[in-house]
Amino acid sequence: MRLGRGPRPPGPRAKGAVAVSGTGLDKRRNGRPVLADVDATMTAGEVLALVGPNGAGKSTLLSVLAGDLGPDRGEVTVDGRPLGDWTPVELAMRRAVLPQHHLLSFPFPVVDVVRMGRAPWPDEGEDIVAGAMAATGVAHLATRSFLALSGGERARVALARVLAQRTGVLLLDEPTAALDLHHQELVLRIARERATEGDAILVVLHDLGLAAAHADRVMVLSGGRVVADGPPAEVFTPDLLTDVYQHEIEVLPHPRTGTPLVLPRRS
């Protein structure tokens, strides 16, 4: 820990620069391997979708890359420096994490929940808070208690908090799980906009169609290992997905855009 020095704010990242890198990551839970020799990178200006069946290790990998969970082996770096070289405040200035579950025990008003995203910064940034709430469609809920919201509303408020943190790295764990079709598209459009502005985005998704439509790159996990990593059109093949998901899958081009449509084969 550095003494006598305030937190070091992040500098600009060049588009295409590696923002977060994990090398040789292993993790065990209850004696069971959850990640095995995983290499993963997040790049500025790119949306990376992390996909795979239940239990593949997606949320664990996100937590390890975020620094919320330590690996048993391997190293994670942010902007080329090991996670341990950053203070908690410096790390919070560099990456924001949207967990899968939005746990909050007190009836804070929505606007105060979103303001929590400004905690690492010296200014409250009310314009930033307002912009995050407008972008996620929750401005009309500002005075409502977070605990009184529906699951989908809570998910969008939690995303607004992450956006208000104004970091160049976003790690989003199943941000579309509780949302209807309109809000799924809204969330992933926001992720695309942030990537266009130069941010590095990692998003865990179960819907392979959403991953194909919105991600620049997909990483497929199975049994804690990376089995494919690349553009959706190259990675999403019927043979690979059938093997990973243990269900026969067909992949068809969208008739207008050519984006892969991933469908279970039904009799």
Side-chain angles (χ1 to χ4, degrees):
M1 179 180 294
R2 299 184 302 275
L3 299 177
R5 182 184 300 177
R8 182 186 307 171
R13 293 187 185 92
K15 191 169 183 178
V18 174
V20 179
S21 177
T23 307
L25 301 175
D26 286 355
K27 185 65 183 178
R28 300 178 71 88
R29 283 185 167 174
N30 300 320
R32 182 178 70 86
V34 183
L35 298 176
D37 197 26
V38 170
D39 294 337
T41 58
M42 294 177 61
T43 302
E46 179 183 68
V47 176
L48 168 63
L50 194 56
V51 303
N54 292 335
K58 302 183 295 297
S59 293
T60 299
L61 177 56
L62 181 145
S63 295
V64 170
L65 292 175
D68 293 335
L69 187 66
D72 297 328
R73 189 180 71 84
E75 183 180 59
V76 176
T77 62
V78 174
D79 290 335
R81 298 172 62 89
L83 280 172
D85 285 3
W86 301 111
T87 68
V89 172
E90 288 172 332
L91 193 56
M93 288 177 165
R94 284 161 175 79
R95 62 95 181 97
V97 184
L98 180 69
Q100 192 175 140
H101 303 292
H102 315 296
L103 302 178
L104 196 62
S105 301
F106 297 97
F108 292 108
V110 162
V111 67
D112 286 347
V113 174
V114 180
R115 284 187 182 121
M116 293 175 187
R118 300 301 303 159
W121 301 96
D123 63 283
E124 290 187 356
E126 287 301 308
D127 56 334
I128 295 173
V129 170
M133 294 177 68
T136 54
V138 299
H140 66 291
L141 302 173
T143 60
R144 291 269 302 277
S145 165
F146 182 80
L147 299 183
L149 303 181
S150 70
E153 289 169 336
R154 290 187 187 193
R156 288 187 286 133
V157 170
L159 177 62
R161 176 190 58 77
V162 165
L163 296 178
Q165 197 170 331
R166 275 294 177 95
T167 65
V169 174
L170 299 181
L171 300 106
L172 313 176
D173 195 353
E174 296 191 34
T176 62
L179 302 181
D180 59 34
L181 186 149
H182 168 72
H183 289 108
Q184 288 178 0
E185 291 293 322
L186 172 68
V187 166
L188 292 173
R189 187 168 69 247
I190 290 170
R192 163 55 50 208
E193 290 169 354
R194 291 291 296 264
T196 300
E197 293 170 4
D199 293 347
I201 314 294
L202 184 150
V203 55
V204 173
L205 292 172
H206 274 295
D207 189 319
L208 300 180
L210 288 176
H214 293 280
D216 300 295
R217 182 164 58 97
V218 293
M219 178 181 291
V220 183
L221 282 182
S222 181
R225 296 182 179 275
V226 177
V227 297
D229 185 353
E234 296 177 11
V235 168
F236 286 165
T237 66
D239 288 346
L240 182 137
L241 295 177
T242 295
D243 181 60
V244 166
Y245 286 91
Q246 295 296 292
H247 188 98
E248 195 166 356
I249 290 175
E250 53 188 345
V251 181
L252 308 171
H254 188 283
R256 182 171 55 83
T257 66
T259 300
L261 298 174
V262 182
L263 304 168
R265 186 180 292 276
R266 301 182 179 99
S267 58

